[in-house]
Amino acid sequence: LLIRSVGTDGDRLPHTGMMSGTEAGDPVPSAALSSPDADNLMLMFGRQAPVRVRLDLDVGFDGEATSHNVVGEFDGSENLDQRILLGAHLDSWDLGTGAVDDGAGVALVLAAAKLNADLETRPRHPVRVVLYANEEQGVYGGKAYAKLHEADLANHLVGAESDLGADRIYRFKSLVLPGAEAVIELLATHLKKLGIERELAEPAGGGADVGQMRKLGLPVIDLDQDAVRYFDLHHTANDTLDKVNPRNLQQNLAAWATLVYVTANSTVEFGPVAPTE
Amino acid sequence: LLIRSVGTDGDRLPHTGMMSGTEAGDPVPSAALSSPDADNLMLMFGRQAPVRVRLDLDVGFDGEATSHNVVGEFDGSENLDQRILLGAHLDSWDLGTGAVDDGAGVALVLAAAKLNADLETRPRHPVRVVLYANEEQGVYGGKAYAKLHEADLANHLVGAESDLGADRIYRFKSLVLPGAEAVIELLATHLKKLGIERELAEPAGGGADVGQMRKLGLPVIDLDQDAVRYFDLHHTANDTLDKVNPRNLQQNLAAWATLVYVTANSTVEFGPVAPTE
């Protein structure tokens, strides 16, 4: 299977990914072509002569190995049981260095937690940061965390994940009980100062990893970021630190620090919400 | 020798080139790093640990071979001896397909000649297009043409070359005798309609290949194009056809067709100008 890269750029550095399948013989050997190379191949198909493509693929499945989620937490000043759950993932696709997917997310949730931990008075609730292992090959870290903490759902107040680059946050969504609406409105008031609008038409999803807990009933908040550049960078050789715009990252972090501050100081129950598939 | 690519982009596709030298032992093995990779290396140098770089270079000099300039010409309607000399080069750097350097130039000078050849009445003077061989490794085609036609200088009216991409022409320069000023002014009047200004502070240079004839005394005109993107594309793997903007190419071609029409229908002598080194 040879596909046109799903990136929108004109670089000869294709967006790549993984092929999966459940039938016998799946997955088929697969590769992605950059847009300029796909254009060139299409031009060749338009001619009368036969077209021959030689594939030299150095990929495959080398068997299972153990990797680890990295979990850190600071205590709340008044509540020791119900924690805010912040997530991002440690692994990255191999062509670049993973600065955008998901190094930036790791930096954002860690920095948001630290800014709150360093306050003179710590927030009421504990804040937990989970840096998930092996998101890329099938959300293994997120699924393992949810399985391990299934009986522990009530000890998680609300969750949020950063895994779509490092550009500006432009809106946020929530999936919480009606009784938490006043806190979400307070959050909306603060985020509006950063140019962030509340989205009412769609519920939050929680992201790939934290979303595994949402399926069990964890309430979640999504900080949605501008992902226009995302598919030109992540899973390509161009996913490097220079692609992280410091000014955009600052706005993004301000939103995350605000989210943690408002939720971790709240006195309401956000969930549980309805479990889903 | 390991250098930072001279491109201005953030792609991990470096601008590359050639190392030359005249001393014994020259040239030294050399390579260029893309900006993101050079940034990364500089960060590593800032740490205390030693830095090791492994170079795997598949380049070198494989000996001489014969290649050929390709020359085409159509007769003038009144003058059979003094031709307009239009130039571009056929070879390209090996990482891309050479659409920008210098496929676009080849297309531009060929199309400008053809538009004039297809007129109901052909221009007074002959128009010659020379597609030079092996510009990239040392202007070999241009030097060979100048050597072959040294005694033939008077049979060339004026020269011009396209070898800086495919974007918009924004100004033009000339190097001609004062007696040809009225024709240059007429050209300026027409080019102004395309948004092109005349540059009076600098003389035209004629380009790498046609410039070899300029050194002997050939008058030349330069159509200068916007080269902001040029070093991000030429001599990189990104030098592919999708980088040629059709609208910019149209304006560029209109300028070239105008240059050919005005000069090939003129009745003045443009040169010879003073020979230079």
Side-chain angles (χ1 to χ4, degrees), chain A residues 99-100 104 107-108 165-169 225 229 240-255, chain B residues 39:
Chain A
V100 167
L108 284 162
D167 280 329
R168 293 178 68 88
I169 307 285
Q225 54 191 310
R229 302 193 303 158
T240 49
L241 187 59
D242 55 301
K243 307 309 183 304
V244 176
N245 177 310
R247 289 185 68 95
N248 292 346
L249 191 69
Q250 283 174 347
Q251 187 264 8
N252 199 315
L253 175 57
Chain B
D39 288 346

PDB file of all heavy atoms in Angstrom, chain A residues 99-100 104 107-108 165-169 225 229 240-255, chain B residues 39:
ATOM      1  N   ALA A  99       9.605  16.879  19.203  1.00  0.00           N
ATOM      2  CA  ALA A  99       9.434  18.145  19.922  1.00  0.00           C
ATOM      3  C   ALA A  99       7.969  18.565  19.947  1.00  0.00           C
ATOM      4  O   ALA A  99       7.459  19.044  20.961  1.00  0.00           O
ATOM      5  CB  ALA A  99      10.284  19.237  19.273  1.00  0.00           C
ATOM      6  N   VAL A 100       7.294  18.379  18.818  1.00  0.00           N
ATOM      7  CA  VAL A 100       5.893  18.790  18.688  1.00  0.00           C
ATOM      8  C   VAL A 100       4.953  17.684  19.187  1.00  0.00           C
ATOM      9  O   VAL A 100       3.950  17.964  19.834  1.00  0.00           O
ATOM     10  CB  VAL A 100       5.599  19.165  17.211  1.00  0.00           C
ATOM     11  CG1 VAL A 100       4.112  19.285  16.944  1.00  0.00           C
ATOM     12  CG2 VAL A 100       6.330  20.467  16.858  1.00  0.00           C
ATOM     13  N   ALA A 104       6.288  18.901  23.479  1.00  0.00           N
ATOM     14  CA  ALA A 104       5.652  20.144  23.912  1.00  0.00           C
ATOM     15  C   ALA A 104       4.555  19.861  24.936  1.00  0.00           C
ATOM     16  O   ALA A 104       4.434  20.575  25.943  1.00  0.00           O
ATOM     17  CB  ALA A 104       5.070  20.886  22.704  1.00  0.00           C
ATOM     18  N   ALA A 107       6.086  19.112  28.265  1.00  0.00           N
ATOM     19  CA  ALA A 107       6.572  20.364  28.883  1.00  0.00           C
ATOM     20  C   ALA A 107       5.409  21.179  29.435  1.00  0.00           C
ATOM     21  O   ALA A 107       5.495  21.735  30.543  1.00  0.00           O
ATOM     22  CB  ALA A 107       7.356  21.168  27.854  1.00  0.00           C
ATOM     23  N   LEU A 108       4.313  21.241  28.688  1.00  0.00           N
ATOM     24  CA  LEU A 108       3.174  22.083  29.086  1.00  0.00           C
ATOM     25  C   LEU A 108       2.519  21.583  30.374  1.00  0.00           C
ATOM     26  O   LEU A 108       2.265  22.367  31.294  1.00  0.00           O
ATOM     27  CB  LEU A 108       2.145  22.130  27.949  1.00  0.00           C
ATOM     28  CG  LEU A 108       2.517  23.038  26.769  1.00  0.00           C
ATOM     29  CD1 LEU A 108       1.700  22.687  25.527  1.00  0.00           C
ATOM     30  CD2 LEU A 108       2.318  24.508  27.139  1.00  0.00           C
ATOM     31  N   GLY A 165       0.534  19.412  19.581  1.00  0.00           N
ATOM     32  CA  GLY A 165       1.490  20.441  19.203  1.00  0.00           C
ATOM     33  C   GLY A 165       1.717  21.482  20.261  1.00  0.00           C
ATOM     34  O   GLY A 165       1.490  21.243  21.454  1.00  0.00           O
ATOM     35  N   ALA A 166       2.178  22.663  19.822  1.00  0.00           N
ATOM     36  CA  ALA A 166       2.634  23.691  20.754  1.00  0.00           C
ATOM     37  C   ALA A 166       2.149  25.070  20.348  1.00  0.00           C
ATOM     38  O   ALA A 166       2.703  26.076  20.779  1.00  0.00           O
ATOM     39  CB  ALA A 166       4.164  23.673  20.819  1.00  0.00           C
ATOM     40  N   ASP A 167       1.130  25.132  19.507  1.00  0.00           N
ATOM     41  CA  ASP A 167       0.647  26.447  19.072  1.00  0.00           C
ATOM     42  C   ASP A 167      -0.442  26.967  20.027  1.00  0.00           C
ATOM     43  O   ASP A 167      -0.649  26.419  21.093  1.00  0.00           O
ATOM     44  CB  ASP A 167       0.211  26.374  17.603  1.00  0.00           C
ATOM     45  CG  ASP A 167       1.406  26.454  16.651  1.00  0.00           C
ATOM     46  OD1 ASP A 167       2.403  27.123  17.008  1.00  0.00           O
ATOM     47  OD2 ASP A 167       1.353  25.844  15.569  1.00  0.00           O
ATOM     48  N   ARG A 168      -1.103  28.046  19.643  1.00  0.00           N
ATOM     49  CA  ARG A 168      -2.007  28.743  20.556  1.00  0.00           C
ATOM     50  C   ARG A 168      -3.297  27.950  20.823  1.00  0.00           C
ATOM     51  O   ARG A 168      -3.844  27.310  19.941  1.00  0.00           O
ATOM     52  CB  ARG A 168      -2.397  30.105  19.976  1.00  0.00           C
ATOM     53  CG  ARG A 168      -1.252  31.084  19.888  1.00  0.00           C
ATOM     54  CD  ARG A 168      -1.711  32.390  19.255  1.00  0.00           C
ATOM     55  NE  ARG A 168      -2.629  33.119  20.110  1.00  0.00           N
ATOM     56  CZ  ARG A 168      -2.255  33.996  21.035  1.00  0.00           C
ATOM     57  NH1 ARG A 168      -0.981  34.246  21.232  1.00  0.00           N
ATOM     58  NH2 ARG A 168      -3.157  34.612  21.767  1.00  0.00           N
ATOM     59  N   ILE A 169      -3.767  28.024  22.064  1.00  0.00           N
ATOM     60  CA  ILE A 169      -5.091  27.507  22.414  1.00  0.00           C
ATOM     61  C   ILE A 169      -6.114  28.526  21.911  1.00  0.00           C
ATOM     62  O   ILE A 169      -5.970  29.727  22.140  1.00  0.00           O
ATOM     63  CB  ILE A 169      -5.241  27.345  23.939  1.00  0.00           C
ATOM     64  CG1 ILE A 169      -4.095  26.523  24.525  1.00  0.00           C
ATOM     65  CG2 ILE A 169      -6.611  26.749  24.276  1.00  0.00           C
ATOM     66  CD1 ILE A 169      -4.159  25.053  24.265  1.00  0.00           C
ATOM     67  N   GLN A 225      -5.976  23.406  20.636  1.00  0.00           N
ATOM     68  CA  GLN A 225      -4.975  24.309  20.073  1.00  0.00           C
ATOM     69  C   GLN A 225      -5.006  24.323  18.549  1.00  0.00           C
ATOM     70  O   GLN A 225      -5.502  23.394  17.904  1.00  0.00           O
ATOM     71  CB  GLN A 225      -3.574  23.976  20.576  1.00  0.00           C
ATOM     72  CG  GLN A 225      -3.112  22.563  20.386  1.00  0.00           C
ATOM     73  CD  GLN A 225      -1.825  22.312  21.166  1.00  0.00           C
ATOM     74  OE1 GLN A 225      -0.869  23.069  21.072  1.00  0.00           O
ATOM     75  NE2 GLN A 225      -1.807  21.253  21.932  1.00  0.00           N
ATOM     76  N   ARG A 229      -0.501  23.595  11.580  1.00  0.00           N
ATOM     77  CA  ARG A 229       0.825  23.102  11.177  1.00  0.00           C
ATOM     78  C   ARG A 229       1.062  21.651  11.589  1.00  0.00           C
ATOM     79  O   ARG A 229       2.108  21.070  11.241  1.00  0.00           O
ATOM     80  CB  ARG A 229       1.923  23.963  11.810  1.00  0.00           C
ATOM     81  CG  ARG A 229       1.862  25.446  11.473  1.00  0.00           C
ATOM     82  CD  ARG A 229       3.170  26.129  11.879  1.00  0.00           C
ATOM     83  NE  ARG A 229       3.480  25.966  13.300  1.00  0.00           N
ATOM     84  CZ  ARG A 229       4.694  26.079  13.826  1.00  0.00           C
ATOM     85  NH1 ARG A 229       5.739  26.341  13.051  1.00  0.00           N
ATOM     86  NH2 ARG A 229       4.889  25.947  15.124  1.00  0.00           N
ATOM     87  N   THR A 240      11.022  18.905  15.072  1.00  0.00           N
ATOM     88  CA  THR A 240      12.213  19.307  15.836  1.00  0.00           C
ATOM     89  C   THR A 240      11.916  20.583  16.618  1.00  0.00           C
ATOM     90  O   THR A 240      10.952  21.301  16.343  1.00  0.00           O
ATOM     91  CB  THR A 240      13.419  19.517  14.911  1.00  0.00           C
ATOM     92  OG1 THR A 240      13.028  20.349  13.807  1.00  0.00           O
ATOM     93  CG2 THR A 240      13.937  18.185  14.369  1.00  0.00           C
ATOM     94  N   LEU A 241      12.799  20.899  17.574  1.00  0.00           N
ATOM     95  CA  LEU A 241      12.530  21.950  18.565  1.00  0.00           C
ATOM     96  C   LEU A 241      12.314  23.329  17.949  1.00  0.00           C
ATOM     97  O   LEU A 241      11.557  24.145  18.485  1.00  0.00           O
ATOM     98  CB  LEU A 241      13.683  21.993  19.585  1.00  0.00           C
ATOM     99  CG  LEU A 241      13.482  22.914  20.784  1.00  0.00           C
ATOM    100  CD1 LEU A 241      12.245  22.547  21.591  1.00  0.00           C
ATOM    101  CD2 LEU A 241      14.717  22.910  21.669  1.00  0.00           C
ATOM    102  N   ASP A 242      12.979  23.607  16.819  1.00  0.00           N
ATOM    103  CA  ASP A 242      12.829  24.919  16.181  1.00  0.00           C
ATOM    104  C   ASP A 242      11.387  25.178  15.738  1.00  0.00           C
ATOM    105  O   ASP A 242      11.029  26.321  15.468  1.00  0.00           O
ATOM    106  CB  ASP A 242      13.777  25.041  14.981  1.00  0.00           C
ATOM    107  CG  ASP A 242      13.593  23.900  13.986  1.00  0.00           C
ATOM    108  OD1 ASP A 242      13.768  22.735  14.376  1.00  0.00           O
ATOM    109  OD2 ASP A 242      13.271  24.189  12.823  1.00  0.00           O
ATOM    110  N   LYS A 243      10.572  24.139  15.622  1.00  0.00           N
ATOM    111  CA  LYS A 243       9.179  24.311  15.171  1.00  0.00           C
ATOM    112  C   LYS A 243       8.271  24.801  16.308  1.00  0.00           C
ATOM    113  O   LYS A 243       7.118  25.155  16.065  1.00  0.00           O
ATOM    114  CB  LYS A 243       8.634  22.999  14.609  1.00  0.00           C
ATOM    115  CG  LYS A 243       9.502  22.354  13.527  1.00  0.00           C
ATOM    116  CD  LYS A 243       9.870  23.314  12.430  1.00  0.00           C
ATOM    117  CE  LYS A 243      10.666  22.640  11.315  1.00  0.00           C
ATOM    118  NZ  LYS A 243      11.895  21.945  11.737  1.00  0.00           N
ATOM    119  N   VAL A 244       8.780  24.768  17.542  1.00  0.00           N
ATOM    120  CA  VAL A 244       7.993  25.252  18.682  1.00  0.00           C
ATOM    121  C   VAL A 244       8.151  26.764  18.773  1.00  0.00           C
ATOM    122  O   VAL A 244       9.248  27.268  19.027  1.00  0.00           O
ATOM    123  CB  VAL A 244       8.442  24.572  19.994  1.00  0.00           C
ATOM    124  CG1 VAL A 244       7.683  25.156  21.177  1.00  0.00           C
ATOM    125  CG2 VAL A 244       8.232  23.060  19.905  1.00  0.00           C
ATOM    126  N   ASN A 245       7.059  27.498  18.563  1.00  0.00           N
ATOM    127  CA  ASN A 245       7.080  28.959  18.612  1.00  0.00           C
ATOM    128  C   ASN A 245       6.948  29.399  20.067  1.00  0.00           C
ATOM    129  O   ASN A 245       5.929  29.124  20.711  1.00  0.00           O
ATOM    130  CB  ASN A 245       5.915  29.494  17.766  1.00  0.00           C
ATOM    131  CG  ASN A 245       5.803  31.004  17.802  1.00  0.00           C
ATOM    132  OD1 ASN A 245       5.801  31.611  18.870  1.00  0.00           O
ATOM    133  ND2 ASN A 245       5.708  31.609  16.642  1.00  0.00           N
ATOM    134  N   PRO A 246       7.980  30.061  20.614  1.00  0.00           N
ATOM    135  CA  PRO A 246       7.962  30.389  22.059  1.00  0.00           C
ATOM    136  C   PRO A 246       6.760  31.228  22.479  1.00  0.00           C
ATOM    137  O   PRO A 246       6.202  31.020  23.558  1.00  0.00           O
ATOM    138  CB  PRO A 246       9.278  31.166  22.245  1.00  0.00           C
ATOM    139  CG  PRO A 246      10.160  30.710  21.144  1.00  0.00           C
ATOM    140  CD  PRO A 246       9.227  30.479  19.965  1.00  0.00           C
ATOM    141  N   ARG A 247       6.338  32.181  21.649  1.00  0.00           N
ATOM    142  CA  ARG A 247       5.192  33.036  22.027  1.00  0.00           C
ATOM    143  C   ARG A 247       3.898  32.227  22.072  1.00  0.00           C
ATOM    144  O   ARG A 247       3.077  32.411  22.965  1.00  0.00           O
ATOM    145  CB  ARG A 247       5.046  34.198  21.046  1.00  0.00           C
ATOM    146  CG  ARG A 247       6.143  35.232  21.192  1.00  0.00           C
ATOM    147  CD  ARG A 247       5.885  36.419  20.283  1.00  0.00           C
ATOM    148  NE  ARG A 247       4.727  37.180  20.684  1.00  0.00           N
ATOM    149  CZ  ARG A 247       4.766  38.263  21.454  1.00  0.00           C
ATOM    150  NH1 ARG A 247       5.921  38.704  21.928  1.00  0.00           N
ATOM    151  NH2 ARG A 247       3.664  38.907  21.744  1.00  0.00           N
ATOM    152  N   ASN A 248       3.722  31.333  21.113  1.00  0.00           N
ATOM    153  CA  ASN A 248       2.538  30.484  21.127  1.00  0.00           C
ATOM    154  C   ASN A 248       2.563  29.552  22.341  1.00  0.00           C
ATOM    155  O   ASN A 248       1.533  29.307  22.978  1.00  0.00           O
ATOM    156  CB  ASN A 248       2.451  29.668  19.836  1.00  0.00           C
ATOM    157  CG  ASN A 248       2.171  30.531  18.623  1.00  0.00           C
ATOM    158  OD1 ASN A 248       1.789  31.692  18.754  1.00  0.00           O
ATOM    159  ND2 ASN A 248       2.371  29.988  17.437  1.00  0.00           N
ATOM    160  N   LEU A 249       3.752  29.037  22.631  1.00  0.00           N
ATOM    161  CA  LEU A 249       3.901  28.126  23.771  1.00  0.00           C
ATOM    162  C   LEU A 249       3.549  28.838  25.079  1.00  0.00           C
ATOM    163  O   LEU A 249       2.926  28.246  25.972  1.00  0.00           O
ATOM    164  CB  LEU A 249       5.343  27.605  23.823  1.00  0.00           C
ATOM    165  CG  LEU A 249       5.622  26.444  24.780  1.00  0.00           C
ATOM    166  CD1 LEU A 249       4.961  25.171  24.285  1.00  0.00           C
ATOM    167  CD2 LEU A 249       7.123  26.229  24.946  1.00  0.00           C
ATOM    168  N   GLN A 250       3.916  30.115  25.199  1.00  0.00           N
ATOM    169  CA  GLN A 250       3.604  30.886  26.416  1.00  0.00           C
ATOM    170  C   GLN A 250       2.096  31.021  26.611  1.00  0.00           C
ATOM    171  O   GLN A 250       1.587  30.854  27.719  1.00  0.00           O
ATOM    172  CB  GLN A 250       4.252  32.273  26.343  1.00  0.00           C
ATOM    173  CG  GLN A 250       5.745  32.255  26.628  1.00  0.00           C
ATOM    174  CD  GLN A 250       6.398  33.607  26.415  1.00  0.00           C
ATOM    175  OE1 GLN A 250       5.808  34.513  25.835  1.00  0.00           O
ATOM    176  NE2 GLN A 250       7.627  33.740  26.893  1.00  0.00           N
ATOM    177  N   GLN A 251       1.396  31.333  25.531  1.00  0.00           N
ATOM    178  CA  GLN A 251      -0.066  31.458  25.644  1.00  0.00           C
ATOM    179  C   GLN A 251      -0.680  30.117  26.015  1.00  0.00           C
ATOM    180  O   GLN A 251      -1.589  30.027  26.833  1.00  0.00           O
ATOM    181  CB  GLN A 251      -0.642  31.988  24.318  1.00  0.00           C
ATOM    182  CG  GLN A 251      -2.128  32.327  24.367  1.00  0.00           C
ATOM    183  CD  GLN A 251      -3.013  31.166  23.858  1.00  0.00           C
ATOM    184  OE1 GLN A 251      -2.531  30.067  23.599  1.00  0.00           O
ATOM    185  NE2 GLN A 251      -4.298  31.440  23.736  1.00  0.00           N
ATOM    186  N   ASN A 252      -0.162  29.062  25.400  1.00  0.00           N
ATOM    187  CA  ASN A 252      -0.636  27.710  25.654  1.00  0.00           C
ATOM    188  C   ASN A 252      -0.446  27.359  27.140  1.00  0.00           C
ATOM    189  O   ASN A 252      -1.369  26.867  27.808  1.00  0.00           O
ATOM    190  CB  ASN A 252       0.151  26.752  24.743  1.00  0.00           C
ATOM    191  CG  ASN A 252      -0.525  25.407  24.555  1.00  0.00           C
ATOM    192  OD1 ASN A 252      -0.997  24.804  25.505  1.00  0.00           O
ATOM    193  ND2 ASN A 252      -0.543  24.924  23.315  1.00  0.00           N
ATOM    194  N   LEU A 253       0.745  27.644  27.658  1.00  0.00           N
ATOM    195  CA  LEU A 253       1.047  27.340  29.063  1.00  0.00           C
ATOM    196  C   LEU A 253       0.168  28.161  30.004  1.00  0.00           C
ATOM    197  O   LEU A 253      -0.302  27.653  31.030  1.00  0.00           O
ATOM    198  CB  LEU A 253       2.527  27.590  29.358  1.00  0.00           C
ATOM    199  CG  LEU A 253       2.938  27.427  30.825  1.00  0.00           C
ATOM    200  CD1 LEU A 253       2.580  26.030  31.350  1.00  0.00           C
ATOM    201  CD2 LEU A 253       4.428  27.702  30.998  1.00  0.00           C
ATOM    202  N   ALA A 254      -0.060  29.428  29.664  1.00  0.00           N
ATOM    203  CA  ALA A 254      -0.918  30.270  30.509  1.00  0.00           C
ATOM    204  C   ALA A 254      -2.310  29.643  30.637  1.00  0.00           C
ATOM    205  O   ALA A 254      -2.907  29.644  31.723  1.00  0.00           O
ATOM    206  CB  ALA A 254      -1.008  31.684  29.929  1.00  0.00           C
ATOM    207  N   ALA A 255      -2.798  29.092  29.535  1.00  0.00           N
ATOM    208  CA  ALA A 255      -4.112  28.443  29.567  1.00  0.00           C
ATOM    209  C   ALA A 255      -4.086  27.200  30.464  1.00  0.00           C
ATOM    210  O   ALA A 255      -5.003  26.965  31.259  1.00  0.00           O
ATOM    211  CB  ALA A 255      -4.546  28.070  28.152  1.00  0.00           C
TER     212      ALA A 255
ATOM    213  N   ASP B  39      21.317  23.527  14.733  1.00  0.00           N
ATOM    214  CA  ASP B  39      20.880  24.014  16.050  1.00  0.00           C
ATOM    215  C   ASP B  39      21.119  22.951  17.117  1.00  0.00           C
ATOM    216  O   ASP B  39      21.614  23.239  18.210  1.00  0.00           O
ATOM    217  CB  ASP B  39      19.374  24.342  16.034  1.00  0.00           C
ATOM    218  CG  ASP B  39      19.065  25.603  15.246  1.00  0.00           C
ATOM    219  OD1 ASP B  39      20.002  26.364  14.929  1.00  0.00           O
ATOM    220  OD2 ASP B  39      17.875  25.827  14.954  1.00  0.00           O
TER     221      ASP B  39
END
